[in-house]
Each structure stands twice: as structure tokens, then as C-alpha cells.
Amino acid sequence: MDRQGELNIIRAAYAKQILAAAWGVDNSRLEAAFSATRREDFLGAGPWWIFRRLRDYVTTPDADPVYLYTDDLVGILPERHLNNGQPSLHAHLIHQAAPAAGEHVVHIGTGTGYYTAILAHLVGPSGRVTGIEYDSELAARAKANFAACPNVEILEGDGALVSFDEADVIYVNAGCTRPAESWLDRLADGGRLILPMTSDQGFGANAPERMARAGAVFRIARRGKDYLAHWISPVAIFPCAGSRDEVSERALAEAFAKGGWQQVTRLYRDQEIPEQRCWVRGPGWSLAYS
Ligand SMILES: C[S@@+](CC[C@H](N)C(=O)[O-])C[C@H]1O[C@@H](n2cnc3c(N)ncnc32)[C@H](O)[C@@H]1O
């Protein structure tokens, strides 16, 4: 068997392990997407920087892609602690987003595109993915990686400000203190927004900007004018440029300190919710218990 054949087998085993590690996700389409997508195609030439929590980054012994098929974060710009995210976390979050064939997915914080490619696999040739990346170097790398893919478009800019068509899924991969108005406006009826919310308290407190913030991921499902919200995962993730404001930052830190995010059921586009029903409120938005 040639090396590509061996790597195909390794990737199939990795896909199974990743889904098993992702809270036991049972999703054969997602497993097939992880099995078919070559992580090495998105991370530049090896050796690569694998993030080890207690030792910072460790370089792989050589450029054999086998080292990428573990449940580890891999540095994309390690000097800024900007990583290709943990596969099992993304498997869980993408499972919750449930992109279906033919749908339009908007991926905010595309990086170099590994998870954009998984999303493109899931929506298939009849669907499409719009990837938005703030960092110009990473946006250029992502554009090059998808140059031959007609159903993926990469845009450079702030995902809260760049205009995009109505989306069935908005998959945000950076930590926000509030939902952007444009995400709520452009989420289709029946659409799903995956929103990591992080404060700069927690383990990232007083740390330099490069440090990830600890937080919670919410799945927001649009039903007409209503937004149903529920907590789906803890998270530590790179901050979202432009989707953080000081008032929301303080409110979120207080809400995390008091607990109760697992009981959230609704997102409202105002802050007039009675105190006893409110988990957190910021300017023009709140997350509430009913
Ligand atoms: C944790 S990294 C994840 C990258 C990619 N999803 C991956 O796992 O390989 C977060 C990414 O979000 C990008 N980002 C931060 N704020 C953004 C914004 N407002 N709009 C678009 N991208 C943003 C960062 O530049 C970075 O590439």
C-alpha cells in the first residue's frame, strides 16, 4: 500500500476517535467529512507546532502528516497562540449546527480553512460556505487553499461587519461578548448560530491578548422572530475582534461568576427582560431563562 493509502486508513481511524471523544457524537456524515479531509492541506508545510497544555508548543519530529491525526490543537500562528482548533470540540459544535446538504454556511474565523472544508463537505456541491477571516495573512492562505473549490468563498474582514447572504448556519470560531446584529439579522428562519461567549475573567484573567478566554458556547436557533438558545459546551478560544464591548464584557463576567448558563432558553434582541428571568444582558441583547 502506498503512503496515501496508509494515511487514508489513519484518517478514517482518527475520524472515529474524534467523534467518540466529542461527547459520543453519532453522525456518519460528519465522520465521513473528517475521514475525507486532509488536515495537512490546511496547515502549511510541516513540521508543525502541537499545543501541549502544560508545555506550550512542541514541534512534531518531522513532516509526517500522521502527527496531525490526534485530538490536538495545532499552531497556525503560534507566536499569537492562534491555533487550528481541537477536532473533537469542532465535531461536537458542527454536529450541533447540523449543516445539511444544499445549505449556506457562514464560517466566521475561518483561519486557514480546515473546518471550512469539513463544513463544505457536509453541505455538498449543492450548498456553499462563506468563510470570513479577519487576519489578512490567514485569509490569503485560506483563499489559496480553496482556489479550486467553487462552493467555498473566502472573504477578508470583520465577520460582524462583512456583508453576507442569508445563512442556514453561522459558525463562529472566536470568543465574543455579544452576538453581532448582522448574525441575528441574516440567520434564516430555522437557521442555527453557534456562538462562543467568553469574558476576559476566568483562567485568561489579566493575561496578555494572546491568551484564550474561558467561556460557554450557545446554539441559537431562529424561529421567525424568536431566538431559542441553549448552552452546548464550555470553551476556551481566541477573542473575536470587533465583537467585544466593555459593558457586555463586565455583564458576562458577572453572569459567569453567578452560574446558571445551562438553564438559558432564549436570546432576546433587547435588554428589558425582568431580572428573575435574565441570565445576562448587554446593550440591545439578553440571554434569559424563558
Ligand atoms: C481560534 S482561531 C480558529 C481558526 C480556525 N477556525 C481553525 O480552527 O483553524 C480564531 C480565528 O478567528 C479569527 N477572527 C477573530 N476575530 C474575527 C472577526 N471579527 N471576524 C473574522 N475572523 C475573526 C482570528 O483571526 C482567527 O483566525
Side-chain angles (χ1 to χ4, degrees):
M1 184 184 293
D2 66 5
R3 187 61 182 142
Q4 274 318 316
E6 286 173 0
L7 283 170
N8 290 345
I9 293 171
I10 289 164
R11 219 181 302 108
Y14 154 86
K16 260 196 190 317
Q17 298 283 5
I18 291 314
L19 265 73
W23 299 12
V25 161
D26 181 10
N27 184 332
S28 57
R29 291 179 69 245
L30 185 56
E31 185 180 321
F34 271 96
S35 183
T37 308
R38 291 157 44 107
R39 204 177 182 190
E40 61 272 31
D41 288 352
F42 297 90
L43 297 181
W48 299 278
W49 296 275
I50 308 288
F51 183 65
R52 308 275 182 218
R53 285 193 195 283
L54 300 178
R55 289 182 291 156
D56 212 31
Y57 290 96
V58 176
T59 312
T60 57
D62 54 46
D64 186 337
V66 71
Y67 297 114
L68 299 177
Y69 294 111
T70 61
D71 195 19
D72 290 308
L73 296 103
V74 180
I76 304 174
L77 296 176
E79 64 283 5
R80 290 177 54 202
H81 267 224
L82 200 157
N83 301 314
N84 177 228
Q86 189 179 28
S88 64
L89 172 68
H90 284 271
H92 173 61
L93 300 182
I94 293 172
H95 176 69
Q96 292 286 334
E103 288 193 326
H104 177 214
V105 176
V106 173
H107 186 189
I108 313 271
T110 258
T112 53
Y114 176 56
Y115 295 108
T116 314
I118 302 255
L119 293 164
H121 192 282
L122 289 165
V123 298
S126 61
R128 64 196 174 103
V129 181
T130 305
I132 307 178
E133 174 50 51
Y134 188 77
D135 182 278
S136 52
E137 179 192 332
L138 297 181
R141 284 173 62 183
K143 277 182 195 172
N145 288 337
F146 291 105
C149 295
N151 68 338
V152 177
E153 183 184 23
I154 303 295
L155 305 173
E156 180 188 332
D158 179 345
L161 301 178
V162 169
S163 169
F164 56 80
D165 293 341
E166 188 176 79
D168 302 293
V169 170
I170 302 178
Y171 188 56
V172 183
N173 279 180
C176 310
T177 59
R178 58 183 156 79
E181 292 285 326
S182 62
W183 303 341
L184 301 175
D185 288 342
R186 293 183 191 141
L187 192 63
D189 195 5
R192 292 81 65 201
L193 162 66
I194 303 298
L195 181 69
M197 299 193 73
T198 57
S199 82
D200 62 2
Q201 305 294 304
F203 79 84
N206 307 319
E209 182 263 352
R210 71 185 182 86
M211 289 295 290
R213 269 89 160 160
V217 186
F218 291 91
R219 179 186 195 270
I220 318 278
R222 184 168 190 173
R223 299 280 181 275
K225 288 194 161 108
D226 292 336
Y227 295 88
L228 311 182
H230 71 268
W231 174 84
I232 54 173
S233 177
V235 74
I237 196 164
F238 195 83
C240 189
S243 284
R244 307 190 67 86
D245 70 72
E246 272 183 35
V247 176
S248 299
E249 188 94 59
R250 274 197 304 277
L252 204 52
E254 282 169 24
F256 279 132
K258 83 178 174 195
W261 54 87
Q262 290 94 338
Q263 281 76 52
V264 164
T265 58
R266 293 258 175 182
L267 178 135
Y268 291 99
R269 300 187 73 173
D270 65 59
Q271 57 201 85
E272 310 309 325
I273 305 303
E275 191 58 37
Q276 68 275 16
R277 286 173 46 209
C278 186
W279 177 59
V280 63
R281 73 179 92 228
W285 67 275
S286 41
L287 283 167
Y289 301 123
S290 62

